[in-house]
Amino acid sequence: MTTPTETAPDRYAFWQNAPLSIAGSRVLVATKPGVFAHGTVDPASMMLAEQMASLSRSTSVHLNCGNGMVPAAAAVAGGASVLWCSDRSLPSVQATERTMAANGIAGSHVVHAHGTHAFPLALAADVVTIRVSTDKLALQQLIWEAFHALRLGGKCYLAGANDEGVKPAVRLLESIFGAARLEAQHSGHRMAVATKAQIAPSSLTEGTSSYLDPDHFREVSITLKGIAHTLFSRPGVFSWEHLDEATQILGDLMDIRAGESVLDLGGGAGALGLTAASLSGTGRVLMVDADAEAVRCAARGVAKAALANVELRASDVGGAVGDERFDVVVSNPPFHQGKATDLMVPQQFIADAHAHLHVGGRLYLVANRTLPYEKVIADRFGDVRTIHDGRRFKVLGATR
């Protein structure tokens, strides 16, 4: 067995403020790995930011606020007096908070949630912006909530990339508002605008989603290790309509013994965490995820299972775990940032797994078999073993 490699301080947690010029105003945008559009300027967000800079003082709402560039432009260049922002991704929420602070913007409200349902007051906004997400049902909810957050005569601006489905997103905007027009397009991105011209939304096309209600959940029955549980899920949560194959494989192979403490790192709707809690019995299980909707879903699953040994936290990888240590860490880490593969995120999952294990504690991690995680794990743990090597997925193990 080799000894673990000494590594430089983890770059994942390093924040920086990137200066941007938006409509002639200097705006600082906070970013780090794991934040939407890190290392680049998103053309759709820039279109929204430039549009916000052209508006006079207003109450504005920003959904899928990302790194905070759009609401910052609304305040710095456009003079927006009241800002409400939300994003389901915790790193994006943290970035927006830092962007507001870096630009000296007071009076902004940044909420870790999907949409407006977690805002603590009835809004009558002048403008709402939406950065398009790829999940159609999750996006439909945002447009629906944008309509209800606007005053009569208020405008909703929506922008995204062609390959993210912005064209059907504009049709969704039109179906709810009654009319929409293309406002700008370049570099494979489009921005559209719709005006709230009536109190009630227009009739939606056939297939109106029941998930417009933020408290409507999909129920998914699963069995792992011979133990049955019910998952609760929402659009946009990873593999929200069914248990994914990788999690099924890991769940059936992970070895959780009675009384062991378990950290489910990036737990999603809770399949691994619920199973681990049942196997452990009296051992503590902590489930963490950066997606606000995933945390809400997992909370439903824990309540349904009546498990008293489970705790849930919103966390950017292991950021909210503090200095706690566990006997076992299980993880099915994400490896995409948007449509691109980003290995820095799963590398941080592996680093945090090592940091939060007792000496002698065990890691069980599942991944696409083509992803090069073996060296990363060996560098941290000193060794790595292959527990399963399938046609599509592998399960890797290590002991601290």
Side-chain angles (χ1 to χ4, degrees), residues 107-130:
S108 62
H109 309 272
V110 186
V111 181
H112 185 212
H114 182 65
T116 66
H117 67 90
F119 291 172
L121 77 169
L123 292 171
D126 301 301
V127 61
V128 176
T129 67
I130 302 173

Side-chain angles (χ1 to χ4, degrees), residues 20 111 177 253 273 312:
L20 295 177
V111 181
F177 279 80
L253 287 174
L312 294 161

